[in-house]
């Protein structure tokens, strides 16, 4: 993984792009300006893992370019299964930040992928500014949790 620099020049482009991401679109320009300096961009190679199931959660991710797969392993003797494939604009990593549980699944890059990264404190800041986005995020996390927990054992 390589951390990409988000310079002043890129911040304008970033702001424009983020407005198209559902999670950020309700933010006012002022709120957006408060968050923007804290958004990181990380670049991953094809096949690289972003994080593993069971790891502690410290950040929230939105796909900028590329594609990731979400792999879930139910028990020690079970095989891992793909529970979701995600594309630009999709997000992941919210469950561990909301529940404070470890990562519920492994996320790996299918192709070269760039991710916007918000560390936990900045993610909480955005949710605090946006009770509507927070409620929607809770709903999505609950639905994902339900889907993975109802997978068969093998
Ligand atoms: P988190 O538990 O922090 O880390 C793994 C992430 O994978 C999780 O947050 C969700 O963002 C995502 N995830 C887990 N289960 C599913 C699912 N069934 N469908 C889509 N995404 C999921």
């Amino acid at each position: 993984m390589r951390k990409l620099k988000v310079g002043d020049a890129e911040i304008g482009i970033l702001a424009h792009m983020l407005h198209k991401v559902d999670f950020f679109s309700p933010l006012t320009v002022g709120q957006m300006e408060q968050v923007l300096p804290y958004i990181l961009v990380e670049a991953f190679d094809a096949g690289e893992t972003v994080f593993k199931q069971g790891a502690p959660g410290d950040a929230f991710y939105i796909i900028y370019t590329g594609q990731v797969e979400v792999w879930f392993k139910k028990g020690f003797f079970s095989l891992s299964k793909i529970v979701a494939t995600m594309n630009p604009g999709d997000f992941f990593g919210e469950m561990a930040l909301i529940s404070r549980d470890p990562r519920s699944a492994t996320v790996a890059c299918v192709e070269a992928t760039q991710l916007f990264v918000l560390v936990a404190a900045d993610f909480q800041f955005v949710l605090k500014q946006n009770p509507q986005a927070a409620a929607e995020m809770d709903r999505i996390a609950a639905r994902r949790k339900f889907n993975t927990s109802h997978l068969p054992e093998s």
Side-chain angles (χ1 to χ4, degrees), residues 74-114:
K74 187 150 193 175
F76 189 76
F77 295 108
S78 313
L79 293 175
S80 290
K81 282 192 185 130
I82 296 175
V83 294
T85 300
M86 297 184 174
N87 297 296
D90 292 338
F91 61 80
F92 59 90
E94 78 293 351
M95 286 167 64
L97 300 191
I98 291 172
S99 66
R100 295 174 204 275
D101 288 332
R103 293 297 190 193
S104 63
T106 294
V107 175
C109 300
V110 179
E111 54 190 73
T113 295
Q114 291 188 10

Side-chain angles (χ1 to χ4, degrees), residues 23 51 55-61 91-104 118-128 130-145:
F23 177 62
F51 55 69
D58 51 8
F60 168 75
Y61 301 84
F91 61 80
F92 59 90
E94 78 293 351
M95 286 167 64
L97 300 191
I98 291 172
S99 66
R100 295 174 204 275
D101 288 332
R103 293 297 190 193
S104 63
L118 262 190
V119 297
D122 299 325
F123 174 72
Q124 305 295 0
F125 171 84
V126 175
L127 292 188
K128 218 168 158 192
N130 270 284
Q132 244 179 313
E136 177 64 9
M137 195 58 71
D138 285 346
R139 270 195 294 277
I140 292 169
R143 192 170 62 226
R144 288 175 171 179
K145 186 174 179 178

